[in-house]
Amino acid sequence: MGFVAPNVLAVLVFLLFPLGFSLYLSFHSWDLFRPMRAVGWGNYRQLFADPLFYIALRNTGVFTVATLAPTVVISLAVAAALNRKLRGIGVFRTLAFLPLVASTVAMAVVWRFLFTTDGGAVNLVLGRVGLGPVPWLGDPDWALLALSIVMVWKSLPFATVVLLAAMQGIPENLYEAAKIDGAGPLRRFGAITVPLIRGALSFVFVITIINSVQAFDQAYALTDGNGGPETGTFVLGIMLFQNAFRFYEIGYAAALAWVMFAMLLVLTLVQLWLARREPEDR
């Protein structure tokens, strides 16, 4: 019992108490300075009547979709490429995993310079192939795409690690048997690799969705925390930060946090249910 007690205490102090206190705050109005005032469901009613909430919800949905598909497809391709016994493959694996250890905010600042309309490296490359300069951070639609690119770049290493580990657990004799039957590389990948890493793929789906919905640091560094231009990158993470630490509406921000938690819980349960369905049920 003595060995378990410190861990239990840590869970109570750093997990359960903050969760319970944030739920308590969501039913109160508090600005950190004056005493709390109970408002019941007022914060939630105010949230669902706030047009900015639906703007943030729409932006977060588009951002999540724009991040999820490339992350899964590219990480799957990179993991398959790295799952080879080639000379010097360790160097390529190291290079592929470097973004995983880089500071998110620092890299977002670097990307901000890369996306500069005049003189940015991205537009310079586009100019070399005959494409005009793109207002990456000056246009609301392009800004959300730029944020998605940064998120994909940051998410790829972790997703690749998970998928690569799953691929390396597949017995080699399955591929050898498929080769004897005349199956080509693509056929083996679709018939053997993908079905056998379905659990890892489901995990990557869930983690990518959670990270996208909770995205804050990338958006903050790219837009100075304003969710701009206009409301182009005004995602739920930015809305939560502004209400909590700029407007000091702590209860309102807590209500938003619990709504985000409920959405993520539903999405995660649906994804896990789909992943655990038997093939004959599909």
Side-chain angles (χ1 to χ4, degrees):
M1 184 63 182
F3 291 104
V4 179
N7 293 327
V8 173
L9 182 62
V11 170
L12 290 174
V13 173
F14 297 108
L15 181 62
L16 296 182
F17 173 74
L19 282 174
F21 188 59
S22 66
L23 182 61
Y24 175 79
L25 284 176
S26 69
F27 295 102
H28 291 75
S29 176
W30 189 38
D31 62 1
L32 293 178
F33 303 104
R34 289 172 292 186
M36 294 185 192
R37 179 172 55 87
V39 294
W41 294 94
N43 286 325
Y44 292 93
R45 287 194 294 267
Q46 179 184 349
L47 179 64
F48 288 112
D50 190 348
L52 286 177
F53 170 68
Y54 295 99
I55 293 175
L57 190 63
R58 180 200 63 196
N59 288 342
T60 302
V62 174
F63 170 65
T64 300
V65 173
T67 300
L68 179 63
T71 297
V72 173
V73 173
I74 298 175
S75 63
L76 195 59
V78 173
L82 295 178
N83 188 31
R84 297 171 178 269
K85 295 179 180 179
L86 299 176
R87 193 173 177 182
I89 194 67
V91 176
F92 293 100
R93 289 176 180 174
T94 302
L95 293 175
F97 301 150
L98 280 179
L100 191 62
V101 299
S103 169
T104 302
V105 174
M107 290 300 101
V109 172
V110 172
W111 276 102
R112 183 175 180 176
F113 285 106
L114 294 177
F115 282 130
T116 302
T117 303
D118 298 322
V122 176
N123 278 340
L124 289 177
V125 173
L126 293 177
R128 292 292 181 90
V129 296
L131 299 177
V134 175
W136 290 105
L137 302 178
D139 180 87
D141 296 328
W142 284 109
L144 192 60
L145 177 59
L147 180 59
S148 300
I149 292 173
V150 176
M151 189 66 181
V152 170
W153 177 83
K154 184 64 179 178
S155 303
L156 277 178
F158 178 77
T160 302
V161 169
V162 173
L163 296 179
L164 179 59
M167 289 180 184
Q168 291 180 338
I170 299 176
E172 192 65 29
N173 58 354
L174 295 179
Y175 293 109
E176 294 174 358
K179 287 181 182 179
I180 295 175
D181 290 339
L186 292 179
R187 176 69 174 175
R188 295 196 299 270
F189 184 77
I192 298 176
T193 305
V194 173
L196 292 180
I197 63 170
R198 189 175 64 179
L201 275 173
S202 175
F203 177 75
V204 169
F205 264 89
V206 171
I207 291 299
T208 303
I209 290 175
I210 290 175
N211 290 339
S212 299
V213 173
Q214 293 180 336
F216 163 72
D217 40 7
Q218 298 94 337
Y220 184 88
L222 281 176
T223 66
D224 290 329
N226 297 317
E230 298 176 10
T231 55
T233 58
F234 189 75
V235 292
L236 290 173
I238 293 292
M239 182 178 181
L240 178 62
F241 168 79
Q242 288 186 347
N243 281 284
F245 301 108
R246 287 191 178 177
F247 307 143
Y248 296 107
E249 296 182 3
I250 306 300
Y252 187 70
L256 174 58
W258 274 93
V259 170
M260 292 171 61
F261 170 77
M263 291 189 300
L264 287 174
L265 179 62
V266 171
L267 289 173
T268 301
L269 292 176
V270 169
Q271 177 58 36
L272 292 177
W273 175 72
L274 292 174
R276 291 176 180 174
R277 292 177 64 188
E278 296 296 329
E280 58 268 18
D281 294 336
R282 293 181 179 270

